[in-house]
């Protein structure tokens, strides 16, 4: 849950906090927030709070700034206490009072409201004196161990994870870190900082880059696979195809980048597919499926993006005359049988149901057997399933050989081209695929499949225990 802590500036999306212990009055009362969390728990839903301990609002009337009349009560004095990009104040993590304030804040939300953990915002900014600004992290260790690291902030994050997991051993903590700091998600007992997951922030950036800068036929399969699998062994990551920033005014969601203005005129099932809508719907499903299956050990979706919400999210601000018009999500669109949004929603539902049954997010990282640049094919195995993606905009392949580690009979269990997902129904789900004792791409067995253009499918070995 985002934007829960009280913030004076609505358009900050909850990231310019003025009162850390107060639930925002915009959405209701504290008791109603507790009821929301309790109701979610009754439905088996874990509720995490987006906590912003990386910076605070500069407001002095209703915030922490100048709390005792000086600029150094909770923050660094002088230029070090200001974040130039965010126009906000930076905590002095070496101060005992700051540590007490922030750690007690975490305990408050855990015990008073019953949250199950936290997503820590802006961890990269906390970890380094340069706050990650103007930095390109290559993964070289000299970037993570040196005078550029804010050791006080690092110790605070370690203490925060220790406190959270001591008070509530089943709690979950997630770090929003783009730098790839080593051991950030290793247990404290092993010398790590103690986070359970790290957000794989490069993944949504990669998809947006591809859609903005490259033709479909120029997509690099190897680069896509590298971005989706670029994480350290045993470091658990949360994968996501698009971030909340891309749903706000100033950027576009995947659906908007793919279909743009045609979403307002050509999403009716009563009209034929246009090339733009057809491409958008097919790639929207493929991007989300390969991100879900290959990108990490958890999957994140910003509400409404799963069905291609047709507009951005905008909060009341001077630029829109303080309008609430776009401060909404139109979930009713998926209930309209005459609109194609239902197809994307159906696919997202079945994709998540299949993962719940097969558990690929909790399985070891995938083995990628193929990333063919000319054919635009990516194939990999994870959790006993065989995933095949054809990103080519026009070429379909018959009798395409794909390697597998399992002998026996395979069946299609998910297919982005199915009619109920707005596809062209080019695959017969009654088809049996039999693997041969024929080594291919370093796999001991292989099978032949028909893989149409712009289609992702999952095959399951039906001879093995389900």
């Amino acid at each position: 849950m985002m934007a829960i802590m009280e913030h004076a500036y609505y358009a900050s999306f909850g990231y310019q906090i003025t009162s850390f212990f107060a639930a925002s009055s915009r959405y209701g009362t504290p008791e109603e927030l507790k009821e929301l969390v309790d109701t979610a728990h009754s439905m088996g839903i874990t509720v995490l709070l987006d906590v912003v301990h990386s910076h605070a609002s500069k407001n002095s009337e209703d915030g922490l700034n100048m709390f005792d009349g000086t600029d150094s009560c909770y923050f660094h004095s002088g230029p070090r206490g200001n974040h130039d990009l965010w126009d906000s104040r930076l905590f002095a993590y070496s101060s005992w009072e700051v540590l007490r304030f922030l750690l007690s804040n975490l305990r408050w939300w855990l015990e008073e409201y019953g949250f199950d953990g936290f997503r820590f915002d802006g961890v990269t900014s906390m970890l380094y004196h340069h706050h990650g600004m103007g930095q390109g992290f290559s993964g070289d260790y000299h970037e993570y161990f040196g005078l550029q690291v804010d050791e006080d902030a690092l110790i605070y994050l370690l203490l925060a994870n220790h406190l959270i997991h001591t008070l509530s051993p089943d709690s979950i903590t997630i770090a929003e870190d783009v730098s790839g700091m080593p051991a950030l998600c290793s247990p404290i007992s092993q010398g790590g900082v103690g986070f359970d997951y790290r957000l794989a922030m490069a993944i949504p950036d990669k998809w947006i880059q591809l859609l903005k800068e490259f033709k479909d036929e120029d997509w690099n399969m190897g680069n896509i696979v590298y971005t989706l699998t670029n994480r350290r062994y045993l470091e658990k990551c949360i994968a996501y195809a698009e971030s909340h920033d891309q749903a706000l005014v100033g950027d576009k969601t995947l659906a908007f980048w793919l279909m743009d203005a045609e979403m307002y005129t050509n999403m009716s099932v009563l009209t034929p597919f246009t090339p733009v809508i057809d491409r958008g719907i097919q790639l929207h499903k493929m991007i989300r499926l390969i991100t879900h299956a290959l990108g990490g050990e958890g999957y994140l979706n910003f509400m409404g993006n799963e069905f291609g919400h047709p507009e951005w999210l905008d909060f009341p601000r001077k630029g829109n005359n303080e309008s609430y018009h776009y401060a909404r999500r139109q979930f009713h669109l998926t209930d309209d049988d005459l609109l194609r949004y239902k197809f994307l929603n159906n696919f997202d539902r079945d994709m998540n149901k299949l993962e719940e049954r097969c558990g690929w997010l909790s399985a070891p990282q995938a083995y990628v057997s193929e990333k063919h640049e000319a054919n635009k094919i990516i194939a990999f195995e994870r959790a006993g399933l065989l995933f095949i993606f054809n990103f080519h905009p026009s070429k379909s392949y018959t009798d395409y050989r794909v390697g597998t580690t399992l002998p026996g009979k395979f069946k299609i269990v998910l297919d982005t081209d199915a009619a109920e997902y707005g596809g062209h129904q080019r695959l017969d789900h009654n088809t049996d695929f039999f693997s041969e004792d024929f080594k291919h791409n370093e796999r001991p067995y292989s099978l032949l499949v028909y893989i149409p253009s712009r289609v992702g499918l999952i095959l399951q070995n039906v001879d093995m225990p389900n």
Side-chain angles (χ1 to χ4, degrees):
M1 295 182 65
M2 309 168 74
I4 295 301
M5 296 181 183
E6 191 60 272
H7 49 288
Y9 183 40
Y10 202 171
S12 74
F13 206 45
Y15 291 108
Q16 296 281 353
I17 293 176
T18 51
S19 185
F20 285 79
F21 286 82
S24 178
S25 58
R26 291 181 176 89
Y27 316 120
T29 67
E31 292 304 317
E32 288 172 328
L33 176 58
K34 294 175 184 179
E35 182 182 356
L36 174 62
V37 174
D38 289 343
T39 302
H41 287 164
S42 72
M43 301 170 69
I45 299 174
T46 297
V47 186
L48 306 182
L49 177 66
D50 191 9
V51 64
V52 186
H53 283 182
S54 50
H55 64 121
S57 169
K58 290 177 66 175
N59 290 15
S60 56
E61 294 296 323
D62 55 353
L64 290 177
N65 193 24
M66 306 293 289
F67 194 73
D68 65 349
T70 72
D71 69 345
S72 58
C73 182
Y74 287 96
F75 311 107
H76 291 292
S77 181
R80 188 182 175 189
N82 297 302
H83 197 293
D84 295 333
L85 188 63
W86 296 341
D87 192 31
S88 54
R89 298 304 314 274
L90 297 172
F91 287 105
Y93 300 104
S94 59
S95 164
W96 283 102
E97 183 56 34
V98 170
L99 292 177
R100 280 194 290 262
F101 179 85
L102 295 178
L103 292 173
S104 63
N105 186 234
L106 296 173
R107 183 169 187 172
W108 167 261
W109 291 104
L110 283 174
E111 296 183 347
E112 185 69 18
Y113 288 91
F115 281 98
D116 302 297
F118 303 96
R119 176 261 199 189
F120 280 74
D121 177 72
V123 168
T124 304
S125 176
M126 299 172 69
L127 289 173
Y128 308 98
H129 293 298
H130 53 60
H131 308 300
M133 293 188 291
Q135 303 295 315
F137 293 94
S138 66
D140 193 291
Y141 284 117
H142 82 274
E143 298 170 342
Y144 309 111
F145 302 103
L147 296 178
Q148 71 273 23
V149 175
D150 189 333
E151 295 180 354
D152 295 327
L154 191 68
I155 291 172
Y156 164 68
L157 291 171
L158 189 150
L159 290 172
N161 278 295
H162 175 72
L163 174 76
I164 293 165
H165 291 108
T166 299
L167 293 173
S168 181
D170 294 328
S171 289
I172 298 171
T173 57
I174 303 171
E176 188 202 32
D177 171 48
V178 72
S179 73
M181 167 69 80
L184 192 67
C185 297
S186 296
I188 296 173
S189 60
Q190 297 178 12
V193 183
F195 282 101
D196 298 300
Y197 296 89
R198 180 176 66 85
L199 283 180
M201 300 176 68
I203 295 176
D205 291 342
K206 173 56 62 177
W207 291 123
I208 292 298
Q209 181 195 30
L210 289 173
L211 294 176
K212 290 171 65 174
E213 301 177 11
F214 294 89
K215 298 177 181 178
D216 294 1
E217 55 267 30
D218 294 333
W219 285 16
N220 186 299
M221 299 297 103
N223 187 250
I224 290 173
V225 170
Y226 173 79
T227 302
L228 289 169
T229 58
N230 183 26
R231 55 190 184 276
R232 292 182 176 84
Y233 182 63
L234 295 182
E235 178 188 58
K236 293 188 291 185
C237 288
I238 303 292
Y240 52 123
E242 51 196 325
S243 72
H244 60 280
D245 293 330
Q246 289 153 2
L248 298 174
V249 168
D251 208 336
K252 298 179 181 179
T253 62
L254 285 179
F256 245 142
W257 278 113
L258 287 163
M259 296 176 278
D260 207 47
E262 288 203 24
M263 296 185 73
Y264 295 110
T265 57
N266 296 318
M267 287 298 279
S268 171
V269 298
L270 301 178
T271 60
F273 262 138
T274 66
V276 170
I277 295 296
D278 187 14
R279 170 183 178 265
I281 286 181
Q282 310 319 325
L283 286 180
H284 193 274
K285 293 176 292 186
M286 293 182 68
I287 288 171
R288 303 181 87 78
L289 178 58
I290 196 171
T291 300
H292 202 309
L294 191 58
E297 289 67 41
Y299 179 72
L300 174 66
N301 172 68
F302 184 77
M303 60 180 187
N305 287 358
E306 70 276 9
F307 63 86
H309 198 278
E311 64 188 16
W312 55 73
L313 191 66
D314 194 8
F315 294 105
R317 54 187 174 85
K318 290 182 179 180
N320 63 11
N321 294 319
E322 305 296 336
S323 172
Y324 285 83
H325 181 70
Y326 289 110
R328 62 179 183 177
R329 297 278 88 178
Q330 299 185 72
F331 292 104
H332 67 277
L333 294 173
T334 62
D335 299 325
D336 193 331
D337 284 336
L338 296 180
L339 295 177
R340 292 189 167 104
Y341 299 105
K342 65 179 182 180
F343 298 137
L344 299 178
N345 194 62
N346 291 344
F347 178 76
D348 185 81
R349 176 200 64 207
D350 291 349
M351 174 180 67
N352 282 293
K353 283 186 176 180
L354 182 62
E355 192 288 322
E356 187 176 0
R357 179 161 64 89
C358 299
W360 63 68
L361 289 174
S362 57
Q365 290 191 21
Y367 181 91
V368 180
S369 61
E370 183 164 345
K371 37 190 176 182
H372 199 293
E373 297 302 339
N375 295 339
K376 302 302 177 190
I377 297 288
I378 295 174
F380 58 89
E381 292 173 282
R382 191 176 187 186
L385 301 172
L386 177 58
F387 297 81
I388 310 170
F389 294 84
N390 179 7
F391 280 98
H392 202 286
S394 59
K395 289 185 179 180
S396 300
Y397 305 99
T398 57
D399 293 335
Y400 196 92
R401 187 171 294 279
V402 180
T404 177
T405 191
L406 297 174
K409 183 171 73 173
F410 290 76
K411 299 282 286 187
I412 297 174
V413 290
L414 190 65
D415 158 28
T416 65
D417 203 40
E420 60 266 34
Y421 309 142
H424 298 283
Q425 209 169 356
R426 289 168 286 179
L427 292 168
D428 183 0
H429 286 216
N430 293 318
T431 303
D432 294 330
F433 301 89
F434 293 92
S435 62
E436 308 171 61
D437 189 6
F438 187 93
K439 188 176 180 180
H440 182 71
N441 286 339
E442 305 302 321
R443 300 279 84 183
Y445 304 95
S446 61
L447 47 84
L448 300 175
V449 299
Y450 170 50
I451 177 70
S453 63
R454 285 187 179 141
V455 166
L457 69 142
I458 305 177
L459 298 176
Q460 184 176 43
N461 188 305
V462 295
D463 288 341
M464 304 293 289
N466 190 348

